[in-house]
Amino acid sequence: MSEPAGRAGPERPFERTTLSEPAGRAGPERPFERTTGRERPTPATARSTGGPGTTLLGAAAWLGLATTVVLGWRLPPTREQGPYARLIAIHPPLAWAAYLAFGVCAVASALWLWKRTRAPRWDRLAVSSAETGVVFCALTLVTGSIWGRPTWGVWWTWDARLTSTALLLALFLGYLALRRVAYDPEARARRSAVAALIAVADVPIVHFSVDWWRTLHQGRSLAQISPQSDLDGSYVSVMLLGFCAMTLMYAWLVVHRCQVEAMEEALESEGLDVALEERRAEADVARAGV
Amino acid sequence: MWRDAMLVAGKDLRIEARSRVATNQVAPFAIVILVLFGFALDPDRGVLGRASAGLFWVAVLLSSLLAVQRSFAVEAGDGAADGLRLSGLDPAGVFLGKAAAVAAQLALLQVVLAIGIVVLYDADLGGPVLLVATCAAATVGLAAAGTVYGVLAAGLKVRETLLPLLLLPVVAPVLLSATRAWEAGMGISVDDGWRWAQLLAVFAVVYVTLGVLAFGALLEES
């Protein structure tokens, strides 16, 4: 993801290569698109998904994450959990990023479904956010499992939080599977937007059902931020840093993923035209040679 | 809307009554599942008896997949989907009708399965009021969620494999709640079964509402 200077700054990260943009403006202001010299450049031939804004965002995200890891590694071991308590620097922030991603996916789907705000970028944001969220959700389960093995003695337990998180992951894996099916983009956007909203509507029900079912997981991590908390202050501050870093990481990934989606769409709709033009040009040259 | 729902439900049920797919394929499939559970869990009647509520609902869930797929397979052939769209029926009515037809089949299936677990697993169906109330709420929820996802997956080449992945995680709360309510009703656990039945009712209301709202948009383009 190299980051040449782009015309649109970080404030318009989703609109840069929409198909409606006027053609023939290749030049210093749109350098992320390769000019082939023969025909106008298209999003389909763009080489990068970034710009200066995303470079800054990415640098901040990686810096924050690295700082979190280093500081988390140097946290003092606790009496009950030993060194494993240090996972608090990563695990709750990952879960937060997953919730954030699925929330953004639901909002973007609703915005797409609502006719007055319908725009292709909401569909792109929804799929990008869901995909990123699935990664964060899976990582949440993995880190929790790594923590649970030495602390609880098991990799997995049928606890309310674990079960509902696993179901959340399954719901959005289904959503992504629905998106993978190739058909008309408009129909795909509509169906997947409805599927996302149905999945999100299921989340509170899943939460209540497994909460009544059985509960072992400790309370919310953010509830530990109070003067009465027995959690060490350094733990809280590292965890909060982790929340910020993971939020930035999410934003960075989503911006790039949206751009990839836009390029894919452009490739599908314009790539064929470009290829046809190239073939015709080749044929012309060959004919002229004869 | 209600008149349209009755029309669609009547049509679907007439098709099922004449084609006999539900009675000749779906119901035997459910019984096969019960027999397979018997193989998997040892012929020890103690285990099967204690697990009978959960096994009953797993069998209902798996059979409901077939019922939903069947419900949209009959719309796939002979331009039936176009006919449905051209008929001028209210989409919400179409949704309610299709869901009602699925629910009616599921209700019959549950009767068969209940007899099955009594005979095969030696289950004791005490507390019939709670059991029937649970069945009613769970059936409406399953049929509504199944119909919404059925139309989502309709017309896709991969619908047979996609539908279970989409539907089963969504109806997981139904399995959980209905199992707990049945265990309470059958005297296996001392849980408050009515709380679980309430959750099932909430699920049913949410998915019937979602279906009524969303079905029009999904039917238009599918």
Side-chain angles (χ1 to χ4, degrees):
Chain A
M1 294 175 190
S2 65
E3 322 275 6
R7 179 174 56 92
E11 73 280 5
R12 293 180 63 206
F14 308 128
E15 299 177 347
R16 205 169 307 141
T17 56
T18 47
L19 298 178
S20 55
E21 274 188 46
R25 279 211 275 145
E29 76 273 22
R30 299 180 75 194
F32 51 85
E33 290 174 355
R34 185 176 53 203
T35 312
T36 58
R38 264 202 310 276
E39 68 283 318
R40 65 192 173 86
T42 65
T45 52
R47 268 184 300 182
S48 167
T49 55
T54 55
T55 311
L56 203 64
L57 189 61
W62 280 108
L63 190 69
L65 196 63
T67 318
T68 308
V69 169
V70 170
L71 289 181
W73 200 257
R74 295 170 62 176
L75 284 173
T78 59
R79 189 156 16 90
E80 287 159 14
Q81 300 177 7
Y84 304 105
R86 290 166 182 156
L87 269 171
I88 199 176
I90 292 294
H91 176 70
L94 278 171
W96 149 252
Y99 288 149
L100 176 68
F102 294 145
V104 169
C105 173
V107 171
S109 299
L111 284 173
W112 193 91
L113 279 179
W114 198 33
K115 286 203 174 67
R116 286 175 61 183
T117 53
R118 179 168 299 178
R121 70 184 135 154
W122 295 127
D123 184 48
R124 291 201 289 270
L125 178 60
V127 64
S128 312
S129 198
E131 214 168 282
T132 319
V134 162
V135 173
F136 281 120
C137 194
L139 285 175
T140 307
L141 289 175
V142 169
T143 51
S145 203
I146 291 170
W147 178 87
R149 175 67 187 167
T151 312
W152 290 339
V154 285
W155 291 110
W156 182 263
T157 177
W158 293 104
D159 154 68
R161 294 285 283 280
L162 274 69
T163 314
S164 54
T165 309
L167 277 171
L168 190 63
L169 181 65
L171 283 171
F172 276 90
L173 282 177
Y175 170 82
L176 290 184
L178 183 66
R179 294 219 56 124
R180 286 261 170 267
V181 184
Y183 47 99
D184 171 50
E186 172 93 4
R188 181 181 67 182
R190 178 177 293 131
R191 287 188 186 203
S192 44
V194 171
L197 289 184
I198 293 172
V200 166
D202 204 44
V203 170
I205 301 174
V206 166
H207 178 78
F208 280 117
S209 65
V210 296
D211 211 23
W212 288 353
W213 187 41
R214 58 180 58 166
T215 297
L216 177 67
H217 197 287
Q218 55 264 68
R220 293 181 308 121
S221 303
L222 285 174
Q224 299 287 335
I225 307 168
S226 69
Q228 299 87 26
S229 167
D230 54 350
L231 193 64
D232 191 80
S234 61
Y235 272 77
V236 174
S237 47
V238 173
M239 183 174 74
L240 287 180
L241 180 64
F243 273 94
C244 297
M246 217 56 88
T247 309
L248 289 175
M249 188 57 89
Y250 160 75
W252 183 63
L253 287 172
V254 160
V255 168
H256 278 294
R257 183 63 186 80
C258 275
Q259 197 61 24
V260 170
E261 191 71 15
M263 287 158 98
E264 262 180 28
E265 279 171 21
L267 189 66
E268 273 169 26
S269 56
E270 286 196 359
L272 185 64
D273 295 339
V274 172
L276 277 175
E277 275 174 33
E278 283 177 4
R279 281 295 295 126
R280 284 201 189 103
E282 277 175 27
D284 289 343
V285 169
R287 212 174 297 137
V290 170
Chain B
M1 183 170 88
W2 298 111
R3 201 183 58 86
D4 294 352
M6 293 297 286
L7 277 174
V8 174
K11 168 197 76 105
D12 274 14
L13 289 175
R14 258 197 309 283
I15 291 174
E16 290 312 316
R18 288 177 190 165
S19 69
R20 299 192 194 284
V21 169
T23 48
N24 289 1
Q25 291 173 21
V26 180
F29 171 73
I31 296 293
V32 167
I33 294 177
L34 286 189
V35 175
L36 288 180
F37 282 144
F39 294 155
L41 293 178
D42 208 339
D44 174 7
R45 292 203 161 203
V47 177
L48 283 174
R50 278 197 303 282
S52 55
L55 300 181
F56 172 86
W57 283 104
V58 169
V60 170
L61 240 61
L62 294 178
S63 313
S64 73
L65 283 176
L66 293 189
V68 168
Q69 266 168 359
R70 171 82 191 139
S71 168
F72 285 92
V74 299
E75 305 293 353
D78 305 330
D82 295 334
L84 202 61
R85 264 179 290 170
L86 289 172
S87 63
L89 293 173
D90 184 1
V94 175
F95 165 74
L96 289 174
K98 290 204 85 70
V102 172
Q105 294 170 50
L106 285 181
L108 270 177
L109 192 76
Q110 285 166 13
V111 172
V112 174
L113 280 171
I115 298 170
I117 62 169
V118 168
V119 174
L120 296 172
Y121 298 171
D122 198 19
D124 174 22
L125 298 183
V129 181
L130 179 56
L131 296 189
V132 171
T134 304
C135 277
T139 304
V140 173
L142 277 179
T147 308
V148 175
Y149 273 117
V151 74
L152 263 181
L156 305 182
K157 279 181 191 144
V158 291
R159 58 182 173 277
E160 290 89 356
T161 43
L162 187 61
L163 184 66
L165 175 62
L166 288 175
L167 185 57
L168 288 180
V170 168
V171 296
V174 173
L175 174 67
L176 230 160
S177 314
T179 304
R180 294 291 140 148
W182 264 53
E183 281 176 352
M186 292 160 72
I188 299 172
S189 78
V190 289
D191 234 6
D192 179 10
W194 287 104
R195 205 168 64 148
W196 292 110
Q198 280 169 18
L199 190 63
L200 285 171
V202 170
F203 184 92
V205 169
V206 166
Y207 277 91
V208 169
T209 314
L210 273 175
V212 166
L213 293 178
F215 205 76
L218 295 171
L219 198 66
E220 282 295 306
E221 49 94 353
S222 67

